[in-house]
Amino acid sequence: MRLSGIVHSIGNMDYIPPARYPEDLAHIPAEQMAELIRKLAADCGYEIIILDVGNYGHQAAPILSVCQIVYMPIKEDGISSAKIWEFEAYAERTGNSGMLDKVKKLKLPYTGIGRRENYELSSFCGASWGIMWRKLMRGSREEMEC
């Protein structure tokens, strides 16, 4: 019931807008967030849930464990490569290397979105990356049904 108060819709997509104060999310343990995701999937009938777990850093393992597929947007530069290497090394060190089997790395198309004046959710839906995500999600569903 409380969740319905924060869920918004654009077309047939429901979303929860970013937290007004992201530091508040830092106080929610990853295990609790993983449980919320399980409940959303089980109780709300969502076939696909897209998450941004970047703020959880090394604490994201419990959240990623409830995911069937983890899409990792990547850039092809030295800093991004170092971050990917660190993530993979961390998964190995902590015994979560199985999680890496779920990871699919994606080079996202540049859309210009991200500049403050273009940061409208409706812009994302029609942008080239929005089209790409929809194609990916349809493909993922087909993979799961086979």
Side-chain angles (χ1 to χ4, degrees):
M1 184 66 94
R2 289 176 50 198
L3 189 59
S4 65
I6 62 170
V7 173
H8 300 267
S9 298
I10 292 179
N12 63 353
M13 179 184 77
D14 292 342
Y15 70 97
I16 298 173
R20 188 171 302 238
Y21 300 102
E23 57 273 7
D24 290 346
L25 293 176
H27 299 293
I28 300 173
E31 291 80 9
Q32 261 188 315
M33 188 59 75
E35 185 57 30
L36 172 63
I37 294 162
R38 278 190 205 94
K39 283 188 171 295
L40 282 171
D43 299 345
C44 298
Y46 291 113
E47 291 180 44
I48 297 170
I49 299 174
I50 299 173
L51 309 166
D52 178 353
V53 297
N55 288 340
Y56 277 95
H58 289 145
Q59 306 302 313
I63 297 171
L64 297 178
S65 72
V66 301
C67 299
Q68 291 177 345
I69 300 173
V70 176
Y71 291 106
M72 178 188 290
I74 61 168
K75 292 182 182 179
E76 295 176 331
D77 63 85
I79 293 173
S80 298
S81 295
K83 287 180 178 181
I84 293 166
W85 181 86
E86 178 57 36
F87 170 74
E88 292 170 345
Y90 171 77
E92 294 286 338
R93 282 191 314 268
T94 59
N96 290 309
S97 60
M99 157 178 65
L100 297 175
D101 296 335
K102 299 178 183 185
V103 175
K104 297 190 184 302
K105 297 174 186 163
L106 298 173
K107 183 179 176 193
L108 299 180
Y110 176 76
T111 63
I113 293 176
R115 296 186 312 249
R116 187 175 197 102
E117 66 272 12
N118 288 334
Y119 191 71
E120 295 290 328
L121 190 57
S122 58
S123 304
F124 289 117
C125 296
S128 58
W129 79 266
I131 294 165
M132 182 194 72
W133 282 116
R134 283 191 291 282
K135 286 179 182 176
L136 275 172
M137 296 303 106
R138 280 193 289 272
S140 297
R141 235 178 300 159
E142 289 168 10
E143 287 175 17
M144 287 188 285
E145 292 172 356
C146 292

